Amino acid sequence: MSLTYVTAKEAAALVNHNDNVGFSGFTHAGCPKVVPVEIAKRAEEEHAKGNPFKIGMFTGASTGDSIDGSLARANAVKFRTPYQTNKDMRNAINAVEHDPIQYFDMHLSQVAQEIRYGFLGGVDVAVVEACEVTESGEIVPTSGVGIMPTICRLAKKVIVELNDKVPAKMRGVHDLYELQDPPKRRHINIFEVQNRIGLEYVKVDPSKIYVVRTSEENEGSGFAPVDEITAKIGENVANFFVSELKKGNIPPTFLPIQSGVGNIANAVLASMAQNKDIPRFEVYTEVIQDAVLDMMQKGHISFASGCSLTLSNEAMDRFYRDLDFFKNKLVLRPSEISNNPGLVRRLGVIGINTALEADIFGNVNSTHVMGNMMMNGIGGSGDFTRSAYISIFVTPSTAKNGMISAIVPKVAHEDHSEHSVKVIVSEYGVADLRGKGTYARAEEIIENCAHPDYRPLLRDYLNLSKKGHTPQNLYACYDFHKAFLETGSMLNADFSKYKK
Amino acid sequence: MSLTYVTAKEAAALVNHNDNVGFSGFTHAGCPKVVPVEIAKRAEEEHAKGNPFKIGMFTGASTGDSIDGSLARANAVKFRTPYQTNKDMRNAINAVEHDPIQYFDMHLSQVAQEIRYGFLGGVDVAVVEACEVTESGEIVPTSGVGIMPTICRLAKKVIVELNDKVPAKMRGVHDLYELQDPPKRRHINIFEVQNRIGLEYVKVDPSKIYVVRTSEENEGSGFAPVDEITAKIGENVANFFVSELKKGNIPPTFLPIQSGVGNIANAVLASMAQNKDIPRFEVYTEVIQDAVLDMMQKGHISFASGCSLTLSNEAMDRFYRDLDFFKNKLVLRPSEISNNPGLVRRLGVIGINTALEADIFGNVNSTHVMGNMMMNGIGGSGDFTRSAYISIFVTPSTAKNGMISAIVPKVAHEDHSEHSVKVIVSEYGVADLRGKGTYARAEEIIENCAHPDYRPLLRDYLNLSKKGHTPQNLYACYDFHKAFLETGSMLNADFSKYKK
């Protein structure tokens, strides 16, 4: 039986108002790029005719502008989960209207299972990017996986963007396996970062496949160069690891590293490469960025397991060129496996994630600016933090030219609790919270991580209320944030007014 | 080789100032009862002589008054982890002095591994309760396990309270297994609640054992009878389960249940037993309470896995009497296995825990009254909540005769984030947060769970700030708590002053 080939516009016509649509990929990597734009156009046409047209959106993580941007601008979104980084989508989520897009911000490892369990509604259509699709229904993903196996299996229609810019030699990079559901399911058969348990492709009934031929570039942008502050954060993390190795807290063969998304994560890995006392290590993470590629080529990283290759276009080209080198040193998995808390714990993964702000007691905000505006979402940070061998959060001590302190009396929104956050690192140093009481933790964070300009203010706050295990003062705890909202700088917080 | 028998006073003399001491048990169950009292006396004697005497304390969870009460009253505690429920210990932790006891409030499943990893300092002495100890060094626990395998292996000296009030026939109830450490460790071989993977005893070098013969009663107290409110909460949970079964969200064979500690947990189980539409089920939990025993005898529960038998003395006697009946329907495991998040996820455990307060966006406070006073600790609630098939929090809608609302604008301390909390249940109803955006979640919680007297106030708060994904207002978010602190009732909160 031969496959059905359609245009992007014809494919978009397969999507109806109120459908729940699942998209492949994780970050911009592996996302479809042409059909979502056509769905957005279709929405605009229907809206122009006075007809409703909105879809529910399931993804692996964030997507490219073709998905989140197009559909948000077209006002075509009924709900969105689990994570986004797109400006237009973010603006819609934070709009003055009451939640015009129902956005639910989920732990990424839970998305596929909650879809399977039936908690989130069905999947009507899957739109996925592939570098190969066969007449027997084998679909080979491109540079990102996300929730692709689950949405392809459950969807009534599977629209495949067959992208000829991605070499078909990518076949073999992926390890695609969908978890069983409880009760009485078996364990996941991964005991080492490089273990493979699944197939190279997702296989579905070919009669439900609609193929759209595309020729689209990777949507990756470059990384900002490592600056002095991110370099110093990286160095502090690397030195912390060396000290843990010396104490025997980390085994001499080291442990797999997870590192979050963005420039700081890149800088941390670069510092680890530069440090002679850190042995070659493995990566068990969600997003494989440029630094990992460099370090694999230089021999600092022996193997990388992730959910996506989130690379700059330059690095993506390099990857394709050297595919034979990378192919047996790297595996891309579905997000429910790349981010699986049980595996993170079993493998002893060390988690390194970025905090938006942390408080002096060790609670971390990863999502909300000033407590109300959604930035991106929790992403995989909770999947790793709660289960990691050591959970580290990194952050520059200040933002907005020093007007915002990343270390505050109380986080304005909390995504990771003091119980799960073990180490905080800024460019000033390392706060090691393990085995410490409240005041000792506060001292570590203030003296080692806060910017020196903010330390006196944070000490003032700590000394305001002497009673209670956690001397939080509900009258004063958001004075940093209020000072910023009122005067443009947290430095104008003043706790003297509370003193009797 | 014969074992060394000592008196409790002689055993206490084996403990030195600055030692880290690990105690067996979980809740009062399985805790030593005589030696800790003698250690406290020794501390008082040393203090009277002007000598310092403080110990670090590792336990499975809370303990009996013999441990936490005696040692807190003797001012003999250097640090305490992971959980406590004792009045004198709690007062010390919340004292005006800066953290006189370094208390660190940990996820219970992490205690044994963090001790092994070396993060918390060594274990000098283990003090454990047993119903049998052999000359070859086999130690059989009593009604609770906690971190016993790890502390017995690591401690230089193991003091065993051999309690003749506990029948030696308890041998066989326990399944004792200590996890391997990363890297390259295998999976935990438990695929069904009843699977056994370890030994009936902990085995150590007999030359490090010191046996103290005791004859101590169980320290269990009874449960308050189920009142109208807890009964209604139980009924709401049971009805929610029936509705999930009908939708196919829970498989017809049901899933293992975890239920927290205390009267509400007991009431929830009792309601499940009364509901004809809920099939016989299994329990995978930390604490096995009276209700579980009743339901096993009546056939509602087919098997129970836990870390302790936290029973009233009446139920404990019943258990001992019918040991042959219970022995193949029940297993007691170390806390790193009873609470293991990887197993909780694999088995599809449904978690039911009690909230101190929840906010209208679905964040939960389990630990701190008014944000600063430590109640008990997070206990195992995080181990289960973050990994459960469905995570449920239960709470009466109000406390203190209605002066405190359990549903607040913003929790004063956060232990479980909106990302992990899926369902909230009060005596008024069920808020199902799955797949809902912020405002829809707030509406579910306010209209279904809050006390009707508080609903208008909560709606006022929700409508104060219309901008942002989460319309939190940092000026007004603690007005419920401030009204209670200033006037004795949260009902006096008034958001009209913020309206322009």
Side-chain angles (χ1 to χ4, degrees), chain A residues 5 128 130-133 160-164 211-215:
Chain A
Y5 285 82
V128 304
C131 64
E132 186 187 355
V133 52
V160 178
E161 289 193 7
L162 183 63
N163 188 347
D164 68 13
V211 185
V212 178
R213 290 185 186 283
T214 74
S215 187

Side-chain angles (χ1 to χ4, degrees), chain A residues 345 381-388 391 420, chain B residues 107 110 341 382-383 386:
Chain A
R345 187 144 172 172
S381 59
D383 292 324
F384 289 95
T385 295
R386 192 50 201 79
S387 298
S391 297
S420 301
Chain B
H107 299 294
Q110 294 186 334
D383 292 325
R386 194 47 201 79

Side-chain angles (χ1 to χ4, degrees), chain A residues 208-286:
Chain A
K208 71 177 185 179
I209 295 181
Y210 299 83
V211 185
V212 178
R213 290 185 186 283
T214 74
S215 187
E216 296 292 310
E217 292 291 346
N218 186 40
E219 290 185 289
S221 56
F223 289 93
V226 172
D227 63 19
E228 208 181 315
I229 286 176
T230 50
K232 193 70 189 133
I233 292 173
E235 202 183 309
N236 289 340
V237 173
N239 289 339
F240 169 75
F241 286 146
V242 172
S243 145
E244 289 290 294
L245 276 165
K246 284 187 183 153
K247 286 182 197 157
N249 286 350
I250 295 178
T253 50
F254 219 69
L255 289 168
I257 290 286
Q258 173 259 337
S259 83
V261 186
N263 291 322
I264 305 178
N266 245 1
V268 166
L269 290 175
S271 294
M272 290 179 67
Q274 281 155 25
N275 196 308
K276 298 271 179 292
D277 293 324
I278 295 179
R280 181 143 65 146
F281 61 94
E282 297 167 325
V283 165
Y284 195 87
T285 195
E286 37 179 26

Side-chain angles (χ1 to χ4, degrees), chain A residues 185 345 414 419 475 486, chain B residues 185 345 414-415 475 486:
Chain A
R185 62 174 159 186
R345 187 144 172 172
E414 186 185 311
H419 315 288
Y475 292 85
E486 289 163 18
Chain B
R185 63 173 158 186
R345 187 143 171 171
E414 186 184 311
D415 300 290
Y475 292 85
E486 290 164 19

